[in-house]
Each structure stands twice: as structure tokens, then as C-alpha cells.
Amino acid sequence: MTTPPCTLPRRHVLTLPTEPAAVGLARETAEQAWAEWGIGPSRPALGPALLILSELVTNSVRHAAALSPQVTVVYAAGADCLAFAVHDRHPHLPLLHAAVTGSGSGGLATVMELTLGLGGTAVVRPDADGGGKSIWITLPL
């Protein structure tokens, strides 16, 4: 089992306007942070992790921008795992199991297929006030 995100020793937080440019900036920041942490591009999880991250930020830009002027990405890592979360202030909680069971489609289905295929986890965590959520992805390295 991988280390929970709350105990990972390396962490970086990025907050951006919820607009299309956020997708590329989130990816660039991930690559830079992971490189600084010694997590090289030869790790099999990194390519899929960037695609998952891009899909989640894209979903926030497409579906949450009207209610969430900012999107926040939290990057974290430990010796054996990589974790990241995408947070917005839209109250809709996506049904991750729908993407797994085949009733979902598009980006979220891709996120779940890649995450589970790598032996990772995906969790939706609602904000305490119900006005937003974070989607946490944890992948083994």
C-alpha cells in the first residue's frame, strides 16, 4: 500500500485562474517539481500522471469556471508514490465509480482507467462547506 498524501514529505501547491492556460501550467509545474524531487521521466507512472493531471484540470476549466475562478493543484511525493489533487469550488462531485463501471465516458473514464491500471487510487474529497471538491490521485512509483 502506498503512503497517504497527508504524510508525503514533498509538497508543492499551485493556484491558477480557471482558464485554458491552467492545463499547460499545471503540467509544466508537475514536471519541474518532480524533477526537483529526483523523480525522473524514466518512471513509468509519469507519462500517465501528466495525462491524468491534464484531464482533471481540463474538467475544472470546462465545468467549474463559472463558480470557481481559481483551480488549485497540490503535488506531493514520497519514496514510493506520487500524489496530486485538483481542487475547484464547484459543488458537483463526479462519480468515479461510474467511469469504472462503463456508465461514464470521456476524460474521467480515461483518468480512472489509467489510475487503476497503474495500481493507483482516485478519491473525491468534498470541501467541508460542500461548496467544492478535490480529486486526489495516488500512483505508485
Side-chain angles (χ1 to χ4, degrees), residues 81-96:
C81 77
L82 179 69
F84 51 90
V86 175
H87 175 267
D88 63 53
R89 289 292 295 162
H90 193 288
H92 173 71
L93 302 177
L95 301 174
L96 298 180

Side-chain angles (χ1 to χ4, degrees), residues 67-119:
L67 296 177
S68 183
Q70 295 180 321
V71 59
T72 299
V73 182
V74 178
Y75 308 90
D80 64 347
C81 77
L82 179 69
F84 51 90
V86 175
H87 175 267
D88 63 53
R89 289 292 295 162
H90 193 288
H92 173 71
L93 302 177
L95 301 174
L96 298 180
H97 71 276
V100 175
T101 62
S103 56
S105 63
L108 194 54
T110 301
V111 164
M112 293 307 297
E113 181 178 336
L114 289 169
T115 300
L116 297 176
L118 290 166

Side-chain angles (χ1 to χ4, degrees), residues 57-72:
V57 175
T58 296
N59 284 349
S60 288
V61 169
R62 286 186 180 160
H63 305 294
L67 296 177
S68 183
Q70 295 180 321
V71 59
T72 299

Side-chain angles (χ1 to χ4, degrees), residues 29-41 46:
T29 301
E31 290 174 308
Q32 182 178 20
W34 298 339
E36 287 175 8
W37 298 339
I39 302 170
L46 289 195

